[in-house]
Every structure is written in structure tokens, then in C-alpha cells.
Amino acid sequence: ETGVTQTPRHLVMGMTNKKSLKCEQHLGHNAMYWYKQSAKKPLELMFVYSLEERVENNSVPSRFSPECPNSSHLFLHLHTLQPEDSALYLCASNLYGSFGYTFGSGTRLTVV
Amino acid sequence: DQQVKQNSPSLSVQEGRISILNCDYTNSMFDYFLWYKKYPAEGPTFLISISSIKDKNEDGRFTVFLNKSAKHLSLHIVPSQPGDSAVYFCAAMGETSGSRLTFGEGTQLTVNP
């Protein structure tokens, strides 16, 4: 356990479903991130919440919707996904301005 | 525009020999570089880092070298062990990117007994 917990670990969903990924950290960090890892591609930054302000990657489709109710919790709400959205979704956190992140173990998402 | 590139998707070495993983970057504003290691079904874990004011940082079997003029860094693992078999990601950050890391594609290292 790294201190960043992601649930569920695996998720299979249909293209018409709505689901949410959850990330939780109790490391005292004040910045949280969602990354997408597809095979043979760089980790792609999707969203940043730092000091509870959201910064977006404008290339992320609107079918992904983040929510950060407090500095310890981060959600990624999913709706009407496409098969190409199947990937490993990683949550990370740090103290804003510090070097490096602590990652969770990820949610392996499969869209059918 | 991919700012951090790892051109070798895979590398295979014999146990006890040296593993050299390479990374190139294009953004001259990057001033801090990190290597992460990832096992299957786990998230990446921090391995070693280097600031742009240095050209070498060593931690046990792991050494990172930075060549700023070539915008190139490398990770040396010596001696390599089977437990080192994992995907290694290079990452970079700079003042203008806040705390955001930009990652390469990763290199799958396999160390054969």
C-alpha cells in the first residue's frame, strides 16, 4: 500500500453505463491527479486538482467528469464511454510544488 | 507533441549485467527528472530523480545521468537482478508546469536469470 487507494481495482462496463472511480489519500497531500495509461503510450494527464482548484486537459472528452469534494478524495465519473477508453486509470497525489507523486494501484477499466 | 520520449519499448539483459534505459526530452524548461518503476497490477513507484543542476545521481545499484545539452538522460542499473524486471517510466517537470509530470511511454525491462 502506497497510501493512495483506488477502487475498484477492475471494472467492466457497457457503453451506456454510468460508473465512478474513487481515489483516497491520507498522506496530507493537497494536489491530486488522474492519469490514463494505454498500452505503449505515455501516461496521459487527464485532470489536476491542486489546492482544490481544477485544472483540465482540454483534450479529455466530456464523458469523463472529475469531482474533488475535499483534499483527500477524488472521483472520476464515467458515462457513455467508448471501447477505446479501456485503459488503466491511475490516481496520484503530492504536496503541490513538491517533486514527484505517490500513485495508487490503478483501476483497470474495460468498456464493452 | 510528445515532450518526453523513451524510444526503446523493451530491453532484455542477463542477470548481473548492466541495464541502460534511455530517455530524451524536448522542453528546455524541464528542470527536474524522475524515473518510476511499475510492476503489473501496481501503480508506478518512485525510483530515483535528478535536478538539472546535476549531471549524475546515484542510489545503490541505480544511477541516473543527465546530459542537458543533448536533452538526454539515462538510468543505469548495475548489477541487474530478476526482480528489476518491470516497466520503467521517465518523467520530467519544470517551473512552468507546476507539479505536473510529463511521462515517456515506458520501457519494459526483462532481466533473465
Side-chain angles (χ1 to χ4, degrees):
Chain A
E1 276 299 327
T2 63
V4 178
T5 303
Q6 288 187 245
T7 53
R9 292 295 303 271
H10 300 272
L11 178 62
V12 179
M13 60 186 287
M15 289 189 283
T16 58
N17 290 161
K18 289 184 181 182
K19 297 285 184 184
S20 296
L21 310 185
K22 180 181 176 182
C23 177
E24 185 172 353
Q25 61 88 11
H26 296 288
L27 300 170
H29 292 167
N30 58 7
M32 298 185 79
Y33 309 81
W34 280 116
Y35 275 86
K36 175 183 178 182
Q37 188 198 357
S38 303
K40 299 196 174 27
K41 289 187 178 180
L43 273 71
E44 175 190 348
L45 178 64
M46 300 177 74
F47 300 102
V48 179
Y49 274 86
S50 61
L51 307 174
E52 299 180 20
E53 178 185 355
R54 179 168 114 182
V55 177
E56 298 188 34
N57 179 341
N58 290 328
S59 67
V60 177
S62 59
R63 55 186 183 267
F64 295 91
S65 174
E67 178 190 1
C68 187
N70 54 60
S71 59
S72 299
H73 295 86
L74 183 65
F75 296 89
L76 187 62
H77 303 301
L78 317 170
H79 64 98
T80 59
L81 294 192
Q82 304 297 311
E84 60 264 30
D85 297 322
S86 298
L88 180 68
Y89 289 85
L90 290 161
C91 173
S93 71
N94 70 347
L95 279 173
Y96 189 74
S98 66
F99 301 120
Y101 303 153
T102 302
F103 279 93
S105 298
T107 295
R108 172 66 62 186
L109 173 67
T110 304
V111 181
V112 297
Chain B
D1 172 35
Q2 194 173 328
Q3 299 184 62
V4 178
K5 278 197 68 65
Q6 295 175 254
N7 290 312
S8 299
S10 63
L11 175 67
S12 183
V13 300
Q14 283 300 118
E15 181 178 6
R17 306 294 289 267
I18 185 170
S19 296
I20 300 177
L21 296 97
N22 294 303
C23 178
D24 296 292
Y25 62 96
T26 58
N27 189 339
S28 58
M29 300 301 291
F30 288 146
D31 57 9
Y32 200 78
F33 304 89
L34 306 91
W35 285 93
Y36 280 82
K37 176 180 178 180
K38 184 181 181 302
Y39 292 117
E42 295 182 15
T45 55
F46 171 73
L47 187 59
I48 193 169
S49 63
I50 189 166
S51 162
S52 60
I53 62 172
K54 293 186 170 184
D55 55 18
K56 176 182 174 181
N57 188 26
E58 190 173 352
D59 183 3
R61 297 185 297 114
F62 302 91
T63 303
V64 56
F65 295 92
L66 175 62
N67 181 334
K68 287 189 292 292
S69 60
K71 294 192 177 66
H72 177 84
L73 63 156
S74 60
L75 174 67
H76 293 213
I77 306 173
V78 56
S80 301
Q81 299 173 354
D84 296 329
S85 298
V87 177
Y88 289 78
F89 290 98
C90 172
M93 64 190 299
E95 273 193 35
T96 57
S97 61
S99 279
R100 276 165 273 173
L101 288 175
T102 301
F103 285 87
E105 308 93 321
T107 297
Q108 171 70 58
L109 173 66
T110 302
V111 180
N112 302 302

